[in-house]
Amino acid sequence: MFAAVPVTEDLLDVRKRQWNNLTSLALAWHMEDDFSDRWNLIHYRDAVAVAEAAAWRLSRL
């Protein structure tokens, strides 16, 4: 059997980068009729980072 890989910050960054690379490739077909809207770029790793970015943007208004 395979041993479970511990989830680290580096692993999450790598997975996010892999997903965004795949999404960038898939977005070339966004005008096709059967294109799925699940191909979204991931900008933040977790909800805390999303909240911090939103607070920063609000502070800039």
Side-chain angles (χ1 to χ4, degrees):
M1 298 302 309
F2 294 103
V5 176
V7 178
T8 63
E9 299 289 321
D10 291 336
L11 178 63
L12 289 175
D13 286 337
V14 168
R15 293 287 168 90
K16 182 174 69 102
R17 187 169 47 254
Q18 288 173 334
W19 174 259
N20 285 342
N21 287 340
L22 180 62
T23 299
S24 296
L25 178 67
L27 287 176
W29 288 275
H30 74 280
M31 297 299 288
E32 299 293 323
D33 291 335
D34 59 347
F35 184 76
S36 174
D37 61 353
R38 69 187 172 124
W39 295 104
N40 296 317
L41 293 174
I42 300 172
H43 298 286
Y44 304 102
R45 189 172 47 221
D46 56 19
V48 173
V50 172
E52 288 172 352
W56 181 83
R57 283 194 304 272
L58 285 174
S59 72
R60 305 280 295 168
L61 293 179

